[in-house]
Amino acid sequence: MATLLHIDSSVFPGEASSSRAVTAAFREAWREHHPEGTVVYRDLAASPVAHITADAWSAGYTAPSDRTPAQSAAFAERLKLIEELEQADAVLIGAPMYNYSVPSTLKAWLDSVLLMGRTAGEAPTAQGTPAVVVASRGGSYAPGTPREGFEFVQNYLEAVLKGTLGLDLDFIVPELTMAPRNPAMSELVPLYEASRKRAFEDATIKAERLAERLAA
């Protein structure tokens, strides 16, 4: 049975969040193809992962027998997250753009699961695991747009998830999500609606293709 690790990081609940709405659609399509499968869900806004500490970081490079009690306790929390990633057959992440980057809660999760010599390095333990990121954003930062140079979500996650953890990475990008709320962006509402429609379609298609791939 396949296991999907689903992570949301938007501060907004339910349909109020573009990224959560699309990850929910992906998860629903996934469940249709894996009714007996497992979904491990982490809502990083509701239950934030602790930011990395000196004890949590140094414990990863200290032999278990040499760790202090504080290091052992901190690393135990990291280990839960690392094992969830390693045991997943696929990963789904909702990563909205906040101030040109990822939410701090998602960064905290990444800091915990990235461990040189295990999940990172010459032979990352989750290497090849398919991962889909729903990278929603209020404006457009696509190539050729005026704000192209301010896009630090996909670039960053490409470096960490693919370049460092070795995941087989794909993106779904609902953009212009602020258009319905910002009168100055009212002319962009049709583009927003088209982007949203395409994102939901992509979620269903990518979930189905991933299900077929894992079943092969």
Side-chain angles (χ1 to χ4, degrees):
M1 295 184 292
T3 297
L4 175 68
L5 174 59
H6 176 188
I7 296 168
D8 277 326
S9 60
S10 172
V11 297
F12 298 104
E15 288 294 323
S17 163
S18 294
S19 64
R20 286 181 187 272
V22 177
T23 59
F26 184 104
R27 177 172 169 170
E28 181 178 351
W30 168 272
R31 277 203 175 279
E32 289 179 4
H33 291 273
H34 294 284
E36 303 301 322
T38 300
V39 175
V40 176
Y41 182 59
R42 282 196 174 270
D43 185 336
L44 299 180
S47 301
V49 170
H51 286 284
I52 200 79
T53 63
D55 285 330
W57 183 87
S58 60
Y61 305 99
T62 303
S65 59
D66 294 333
R67 291 172 185 160
T68 66
Q71 284 179 316
S72 296
F75 191 73
E77 294 303 312
R78 286 188 70 186
L79 190 58
K80 292 177 187 177
L81 304 176
I82 289 171
E83 290 179 343
E84 284 178 355
L85 175 63
E86 293 174 333
Q87 294 166 9
D89 295 294
V91 180
L92 171 66
I93 300 175
M97 177 186 282
Y98 291 161
N99 299 316
Y100 308 118
S101 187
V102 298
S104 63
T105 51
L106 180 55
K107 178 63 165 60
W109 179 81
L110 290 166
D111 286 341
S112 284
V113 300
L114 199 160
L115 179 61
M116 291 300 298
R118 183 163 177 169
T119 59
E122 293 185 3
T125 49
Q127 186 169 17
T129 302
V132 175
V133 173
V134 178
S136 59
R137 52 205 194 188
S140 179
Y141 300 80
T145 61
R147 288 182 174 259
E148 175 184 358
F150 292 87
E151 203 296 298
F152 302 113
V153 172
Q154 286 180 263
N155 290 342
Y156 168 68
L157 293 178
E158 183 94 18
V160 178
L161 296 176
K162 181 178 180 180
T164 304
L165 298 179
L167 305 186
D168 183 3
L169 185 60
D170 198 1
F171 285 99
I172 299 173
V173 186
E175 61 178 13
L176 299 167
T177 62
M178 287 298 296
R181 304 185 185 94
N182 186 348
M185 298 175 67
S186 59
E187 293 182 356
L188 300 175
V189 168
L191 293 177
Y192 152 74
E193 292 173 343
S195 177
R196 180 178 173 82
K197 181 175 182 291
R198 186 165 55 250
F200 280 107
E201 292 171 348
D202 284 349
T204 299
I205 292 170
K206 292 181 188 295
E208 291 175 350
R209 287 178 178 171
L210 186 52
E212 293 171 358
R213 170 180 167 182
L214 293 177

